[in-house]
Amino acid sequence: MQVKIKQLGVAMDIKSKGMELEIRDTSGSHLGDVVVTMTGVTWCKGRTQPENGVKVTWAQFIELMAAQAKK
């Protein structure tokens, strides 16, 4: 995978604008974007806009990752 910072709207702390990571496969095909904000994480598959992406709060994200660690 190739992961690049697409947009970084913060100096140090991640706030409401957050930061956007561009995700591409090893051949360079765009898979989507991950938007990280102070309230959670949003997955935007393909060209999906953040307001239409899959959103999870930080508490939900932690639960998802903890469940994966148990597998």
Side-chain angles (χ1 to χ4, degrees):
M1 292 291 177
Q2 298 175 5
V3 179
K4 296 180 181 181
I5 295 175
K6 187 173 177 180
Q7 180 182 23
L8 185 62
V10 297
M12 292 286 283
D13 294 332
I14 294 180
K15 299 195 178 190
S16 59
K17 277 192 170 184
M19 68 179 239
E20 192 170 339
L21 300 172
E22 180 179 281
I23 312 298
R24 294 181 176 270
D25 64 16
T26 54
S27 65
S29 295
H30 183 256
L31 300 175
D33 300 315
V34 175
V35 181
V36 179
T37 67
M38 65 183 181
T39 58
V41 180
T42 303
W43 168 245
C44 304
K45 183 176 180 179
R47 301 258 178 237
T48 303
Q49 295 296 313
E51 54 272 9
N52 298 321
V54 179
K55 298 173 183 151
V56 294
T57 65
W58 284 113
Q60 292 168 323
F61 178 80
I62 291 165
E63 284 182 32
L64 288 167
M65 294 300 105
Q68 289 296 313
K70 292 178 183 177
K71 289 184 177 181

